[in-house]
Amino acid sequence: MSWSKPPYKTVASPGRGILAMDESNATCGKRLASIGLENTEANRQAYRTLLVTAPELGKYISGAILFEETLYQSTVDGEKIVDVLVKQGIVPGIKVDKGLVPLPGSNNESWCQGLDGLASRAAAYYQQGARFAKWRTVVSIPNGPSALAVKEAAWGLARYAAVSQDNGLVPIVEPEILLDGEHGIDRTFEVAQKVWAEVFFYLAENNVLFEGILLKPSMVTPGAESKDKASPETVAKYTLSLLQRRIPPAVPGIMFLSGGQSEIEATLNLNAMNQAPNPWHVSFSYARALQNTCLKTWGGRPENVKAAQDALIQRAKSNSLAQLGKYTGDGESDEAKEGMFVKGYTY
């Protein structure tokens, strides 16, 4: 499987972003349960088939993050999911972390496991067709964050990035600053500056090539339980200020996570950030903010597959326009405006 240009350049191409569909089987089960379906491999396969076979998905989506099961899975018609993506011009990626566990000695915070055996797994994933990787760690503002938790998050991301690059995978670096909390936007900004300073310090310590990574940060917003709400223009101002202070222009792409924002909020905020040229490709890597309406429209019924795919394409197209700074919000459904914040969300 050969790409005409490096994977990070394909992923960070104008008007395109990432479809995050790497929910663990347990999280996928919660999504299926929300529409009354059992968490079986057949149902997970049916839903993932619906996503990757949406016509013209590759016009708006440049990369898809997969869970390990999906990387080795075929569609319901027997074609490898990786091959379906490649035909659409979408680079397959793989979630490589092993999830969050409690961090002893911290303020009820967590750390991300998965470095053991990562080199051999990364090599196997490359053989299977993956060309980029993802590692999600989280930082909680209500719990501190403690210096220990920030350092652990940054060090883990840097080690993972170095190992991934060593095995041919472009690492997506994702320290998610959780939306949980009543804090205002200035507190988020303060914590984000600290987290990103540590992340880039340790990336440099580990000799990670900045030109060969992608970032998946949180937008700078008030806490989800804050009384203050921020307009897209305010979110863009704070977030771009953070990026300008902390992210070297050598980094090719910033692929924002949605983190429980409504589908519309995530798109409006991204659009506001692209009203003037940026040193990096500023785009999206959304899971719920691309899939929510699609999943509800499908409801597990074969006759709804086309309508569900249309809903997915509508969201992908809206975010594609937002990446170009041309989104207007016309013709959006009420469902797309519903918030999706879940306290203490696990992936």
Side-chain angles (χ1 to χ4, degrees):
M1 188 180 315
S2 63
W3 296 90
S4 58
K5 51 189 178 183
Y8 57 84
K9 284 200 171 164
T10 302
V11 173
S13 52
R16 300 207 293 167
I18 293 174
L19 169 61
M21 48 179 288
D22 57 319
E23 296 87 355
S24 65
N25 287 351
T27 302
C28 202
K30 288 181 199 165
R31 303 270 166 88
L32 293 172
S34 75
I35 56 167
L37 284 190
E38 255 186 280
N39 187 14
T40 63
E41 188 182 349
N43 284 337
R44 293 193 299 271
Q45 180 191 40
Y47 180 54
R48 289 162 178 161
T49 297
L50 180 161
L51 295 175
V52 300
T53 58
E56 300 202 312
L57 186 65
K59 271 177 77 171
Y60 313 112
I61 300 296
S62 53
I65 313 172
L66 310 177
F67 188 60
E68 188 175 54
E69 177 181 77
T70 322
L71 184 70
Y72 292 91
Q73 210 168 31
S74 295
T75 65
V76 290
D77 297 323
E79 191 174 3
K80 283 183 183 170
I81 282 178
V82 167
D83 293 344
V84 175
L85 290 169
V86 172
K87 277 183 190 166
Q88 293 240 44
I90 299 171
V91 182
I94 178 72
K95 169 189 165 78
V96 299
D97 68 72
K98 294 289 186 182
L100 301 165
V101 288
L103 176 62
S106 72
N107 185 26
N108 292 321
E109 294 162 289
S110 40
W111 68 287
C112 186
Q113 54 190 354
L115 288 175
D116 287 359
L118 178 58
S120 56
R121 283 189 290 125
Y125 297 149
Y126 186 92
Q127 287 300 315
Q128 187 61 20
R131 290 296 177 267
F132 68 93
K134 186 196 99 163
W135 175 288
R136 173 188 182 254
T137 193
V138 303
V139 171
S140 166
I141 294 179
N143 290 13
S146 68
L148 172 65
V150 173
K151 184 174 181 177
E152 176 56 50
W155 179 256
L157 282 165
R159 287 303 309 135
Y160 137 79
V163 172
S164 296
Q165 285 188 341
D166 200 44
N167 287 280
L169 298 178
V170 172
I172 288 186
V173 174
E174 181 182 0
E176 178 173 354
I177 296 168
L178 296 170
L179 278 177
D180 305 56
E182 299 173 2
H183 53 277
I185 196 167
D186 288 293
R187 176 66 180 142
T188 308
F189 185 77
E190 181 190 348
V191 170
Q193 283 199 101
K194 184 171 177 44
V195 170
W196 283 101
E198 296 243 357
V199 167
F200 274 89
F201 174 77
Y202 287 117
L203 286 171
E205 288 275 286
N206 282 276
N207 299 307
V208 171
L209 181 70
F210 290 174
E211 287 85 352
I213 66 173
L214 294 165
L215 296 187
K216 184 169 177 173
S218 314
M219 295 178 192
V220 181
T221 65
E225 293 123 323
S226 170
K227 292 186 285 291
D228 303 325
K229 298 298 170 210
S231 68
E233 292 70 30
T234 302
V235 170
K237 182 180 155 205
Y238 274 83
T239 305
L240 290 174
S241 178
L242 169 71
L243 296 183
Q244 286 154 2
R245 291 184 186 185
R246 289 291 181 265
I247 314 303
V251 174
I254 318 273
M255 321 300 287
F256 280 101
L257 60 90
S258 50
Q261 300 177 66
S262 77
E263 289 178 331
I264 296 281
E265 272 177 322
T267 308
L268 285 170
N269 289 340
L270 179 64
N271 187 66
M273 280 185 255
N274 281 300
Q275 292 309 300
N278 290 304
W280 333 264
H281 174 77
V282 174
S283 192
F284 60 93
S285 176
Y286 294 165
R288 287 173 284 174
L290 280 170
Q291 295 181 41
N292 191 49
T293 303
C294 166
L295 179 68
K296 288 181 177 174
T297 304
W298 176 49
R301 296 172 182 273
E303 64 270 25
N304 292 346
V305 166
K306 184 176 181 318
Q309 288 180 327
D310 289 346
L312 173 65
I313 293 297
Q314 162 77 12
R315 289 266 43 85
K317 187 176 181 180
S318 293
N319 286 297
S320 166
L321 288 167
Q323 198 288 310
L324 300 167
K326 295 176 178 173
Y327 173 72
T328 60
D330 293 343
E332 293 285 17
S333 67
D334 288 340
E335 207 147 56
K337 295 170 187 164
E338 285 177 20
M340 290 177 280
F341 169 68
V342 177
K343 199 165 183 170
Y345 181 72
T346 54
Y347 209 77

